[in-house]
Amino acid sequence: MRTPPNSTRDEFISVASHELKTPVTSMKIYAELLKRSLPKSSDAMLYLNKLNSQIDRLTELVQELLDISRIETNKLVLYKDLVNLPFVISNVARDLEVTFKKHRVRFNFGDTLELKIKVDQLRLTQVLINLITNAVKYSPKSSMVDIHLKSDDSFVYVGVQDFGIGISRVYQKKIFEPFYRVSGENEKTYPGLGVGLYISQQIIKKHGGDMWVESKKDRGSTFWFSLPWKEAL
Amino acid sequence: MRKKILFIDDDPEILESVKIFLEKEGFEVETDECGDTIKELSKREVKPDLILMDVLISGNDGRKLTKKIKRDKCLKHIPVIMLSAHPGVTKTSKTWGNEGFIAKPFDIYRLIRKINQLTRKKKYMFQ
């Protein structure tokens, strides 16, 4: 059973991350002002772009802290709307694809062009971004990510498959634990809090579904999540 | 003519950065750290074309100020965009009479698009 949340700590995380958002906004604006006054091909512009991406990373970390705080205090609230799932998935993937150096996304939706379900679209997008960027991050030698969509009588299933380093069986449950970072020998780690999958799984569980991974070491991984049909109209 | 924006937020840094950026974009920006401007706004001859309002202002409440604006017959036509970094405000933000809501940290270009959209709409309504 989960330890009862420490309310002082959770309150602190919530207030601190809230307070961090305002300076981050100002930093972004000043970086944008600077961008306007620099020649496009200068070294300074290169450094500025790096600065900008670090600000984005900071924004992401703040957001993750806030989400953790919401989950731990049971304050993660969903705002559901009826959405067309294949449309949402392909939009998110296409938007991300332009930021990838070589990876391309293939859709394995079968004949499913329309599948309406009631979900929190912003939260679902957050989950998809997490899974798709992980798939790219952990498959540096590959150039493909496949997204699967299928359903049965009770659930809709979405799978994000990469052809990368895979995950040993021993880690397959641990990766969904908050702040867990793979630290074994020969395991490449990436910067971050190690909470992305935990947050994604909690978002899906809050929808009444679940998230899990099917993977073999060096053969790639497929992260699946399910969403219940009962939410569909 | 330059569009006039009134920006109310208790954080002087965000007031300054947004003001600089919007002025470079051709807007005229007045800033207010506590929301007191609202008290005398209806008496002014020249009113802002749009108000940017932080939700939680030190010593004041952006939601109450917005409701006050929308109850005032001299001010209610002015579009209000509310801004907040506070989690959970996004969905409830539609209930205070404001025309827009943007969560912090925001993309400045998104804010400008929203300002343009709302000030154009107003102009169209009164033409």
Side-chain angles (χ1 to χ4, degrees):
Chain A
M1 210 170 85
R2 188 176 294 285
T3 317
N6 177 330
S7 59
T8 312
R9 184 203 63 184
D10 293 329
E11 182 67 14
F12 169 75
I13 293 176
S14 175
V15 171
S17 17
H18 169 239
E19 289 304 315
L20 281 166
K21 282 184 173 181
T22 302
V24 164
T25 308
S26 289
M27 283 158 76
K28 286 285 283 181
I29 293 171
Y30 283 122
E32 200 55 48
L33 281 166
L34 206 52
K35 206 171 174 179
R36 289 180 163 202
S37 52
L38 289 173
K40 274 186 182 166
S41 55
S42 64
D43 279 351
M45 182 61 94
L46 184 74
Y47 305 145
L48 183 60
N49 285 334
K50 286 184 186 294
L51 177 70
N52 245 326
S53 64
Q54 293 302 304
I55 298 172
D56 288 340
R57 209 176 122 202
L58 183 62
T59 311
E60 204 178 300
L61 291 173
V62 171
Q63 194 57 50
E64 284 181 344
L65 277 174
L66 259 177
D67 283 343
I68 288 286
S69 156
R70 282 179 196 148
I71 291 166
E72 298 286 308
T73 52
N74 205 20
K75 284 181 185 161
L76 182 72
V77 181
L78 299 178
Y79 300 100
K80 292 182 186 173
D81 285 312
L82 195 64
V83 302
N84 184 15
L85 196 56
F87 182 75
V88 173
I89 296 171
S90 50
N91 268 358
V92 173
R94 290 291 174 234
D95 283 350
L96 282 175
E97 210 174 36
V98 294
T99 67
F100 299 150
K101 282 182 183 149
K102 62 171 183 175
H103 284 78
R104 291 292 162 262
V105 181
R106 294 183 298 204
F107 301 104
N108 182 11
F109 293 173
D111 298 330
T112 316
L113 292 175
E114 191 169 290
L115 196 158
K116 290 197 170 169
I117 190 162
K118 232 179 170 186
V119 290
D120 184 322
Q121 189 173 342
L122 280 179
R123 290 296 182 184
L124 177 68
T125 300
Q126 184 182 349
V127 170
L128 289 165
I129 291 173
N130 178 240
L131 296 184
I132 298 168
T133 49
N134 278 351
V136 169
K137 208 189 288 180
Y138 292 99
S139 64
K141 288 178 184 166
S142 159
S143 60
M144 282 297 167
V145 173
D146 285 356
I147 303 184
H148 307 276
L149 179 64
K150 58 186 187 181
S151 60
D152 61 22
D153 290 344
S154 312
F155 290 95
V156 175
Y157 302 91
V158 179
V160 178
Q161 182 177 16
D162 68 63
F163 303 90
I165 56 178
I167 303 157
S168 312
R169 183 172 286 274
V170 63
Y171 295 128
Q172 288 182 13
K173 278 201 170 156
K174 284 187 176 293
I175 54 170
F176 292 103
E177 291 174 8
F179 305 106
Y180 182 77
R181 307 283 304 281
V182 174
S183 56
E185 220 173 298
N186 302 323
E187 302 284 353
K188 180 168 169 45
T189 57
Y190 291 88
L193 293 175
V195 294
L197 281 174
Y198 170 67
I199 293 170
S200 292
Q201 191 186 48
Q202 295 301 314
I203 290 170
I204 295 299
K205 282 188 172 174
K206 189 85 182 171
H207 277 88
D210 202 0
M211 182 182 283
W212 66 95
V213 63
E214 291 169 1
S215 180
K216 277 187 181 161
K217 189 78 185 137
D218 301 321
R219 300 271 296 274
S221 310
T222 306
F223 282 83
W224 286 100
F225 65 85
S226 58
L227 292 165
W229 266 118
K230 66 177 179 188
E231 299 294 349
L233 288 187
Chain B
M1 212 168 72
R2 301 208 302 169
K3 285 171 190 164
K4 294 174 190 61
I5 310 291
L6 170 62
F7 185 13
I8 303 169
D9 195 305
D10 59 0
D11 186 306
E13 292 301 326
I14 196 148
L15 282 179
E16 189 187 355
S17 57
V18 171
K19 180 179 164 71
I20 295 172
F21 204 100
L22 291 183
E23 284 181 347
K24 281 187 181 290
E25 285 288 316
F27 296 97
E28 195 181 311
V29 183
E30 179 186 353
T31 57
D32 174 358
E33 281 184 40
C34 56
D36 283 352
T37 316
I38 300 300
K39 288 180 194 164
E40 44 86 30
L41 200 59
S42 55
K43 292 174 202 148
R44 283 194 198 173
E45 199 174 316
V46 181
K47 297 187 174 53
D49 296 291
L50 183 138
I51 298 170
L52 296 174
M53 177 86 75
D54 187 28
V55 173
L56 296 175
I57 307 161
S58 175
N60 222 325
D61 187 326
R63 294 162 290 193
K64 284 185 183 163
L65 291 175
T66 303
K67 281 183 179 172
K68 196 174 172 184
I69 293 164
K70 294 301 165 186
R71 278 199 302 263
D72 189 320
K73 61 179 180 188
C74 302
L75 302 177
K76 65 180 181 185
H77 66 280
I78 305 171
V80 178
I81 299 176
M82 302 206 69
L83 308 164
S84 181
H86 207 273
V89 164
T90 318
K91 289 286 169 170
T92 52
S93 68
K94 289 173 183 167
T95 56
W96 311 313
N98 49 307
E99 282 75 6
F101 176 84
I102 292 185
K104 289 179 188 170
F106 53 80
D107 175 61
I108 189 73
Y109 293 107
R110 189 172 162 230
L111 178 68
I112 291 170
R113 280 199 298 276
K114 193 77 188 165
I115 292 173
N116 281 331
Q117 179 201 340
L118 289 172
T119 48
R120 262 202 308 269
K121 199 171 164 187
K122 182 193 147 202
K123 205 173 166 186
Y124 173 77
M125 279 162 62
F126 285 90
Q127 265 173 355

